[in-house]
Amino acid sequence: MENCIFCKILRGEIPSKKLYEDELCLAFYDIAPLAPQHFLVIPKEHIKAANRIDKSNEAVVGHIFTVIGNLTSVLGFSDGYRVVTNCGKDAGQTVEHLHFHVLGGKELGSFN
Ligand code: 5GP
Ligand code: ZN
């Protein structure tokens, strides 16, 4: 997508601190971390949000969770981590390209 920030990161038009990349997804550090460790994992395909996941693109979501498991293990999130995806206005989604926040490195407290 032409004007999507995360598509621009995927194309290398906006710099990012990359953690991992394969044919289906990219993991990179969030520019405004909300925890000592905070990275994002995005599909390379432009999917607008979680409510646009369907039979045609669902496989990448499972793949992303496998990648998250591997990365958190390598990075030593041994005491746990949180995965969040904001979907739409009420959830505060600011970038309309599906992304999974991975937060860790401290006790995160209850979610609400
Ligand atoms: P959302 O609020 O949509 O769930 O999350 C979007 C996230 O993308 C935010 O945490 C924000 O800090 C991050 N973000 C926005 N623009 C950029 C950018 O250009 N580079 C990186 N690395 N993160 C970004
Ligand atoms: Zn995009």
Side-chain angles (χ1 to χ4, degrees):
M1 281 276 279
E2 194 58 35
N3 287 320
C4 169
I5 291 173
F6 288 173
C7 284
K8 287 183 178 177
I9 285 176
L10 284 166
R11 292 194 296 265
E13 295 167 15
I14 294 176
S16 67
K17 199 173 164 201
K18 291 181 187 176
L19 253 176
Y20 173 83
E21 181 169 16
D22 63 25
E23 69 282 8
L24 292 176
C25 71
L26 173 71
F28 57 100
Y29 285 103
D30 197 292
I31 203 168
L34 298 172
Q37 298 271 7
H38 183 180
F39 63 88
L40 304 170
V41 190
I42 64 173
K44 289 198 164 174
E45 178 185 350
H46 180 89
I47 301 169
K48 199 172 170 189
N51 60 1
R52 301 296 178 89
I53 297 165
D54 59 26
K55 283 283 169 201
S56 74
N57 58 26
E58 66 185 10
V60 72
V61 178
H63 176 72
I64 282 173
F65 272 80
T66 299
V67 166
I68 289 171
N70 291 338
L71 288 176
T72 52
S73 171
V74 167
L75 292 169
F77 289 28
S78 51
D79 290 328
Y81 56 90
R82 179 172 289 151
V83 181
V84 174
T85 188
N86 293 318
C87 179
K89 183 173 75 66
D90 279 3
Q93 183 180 5
T94 58
V95 179
E96 291 192 335
H97 181 129
L98 178 65
H99 52 282
F100 296 89
H101 297 258
V102 182
L103 302 132
K106 69 168 186 179
E107 232 176 88
L108 296 162
S110 65
F111 184 61
N112 48 23

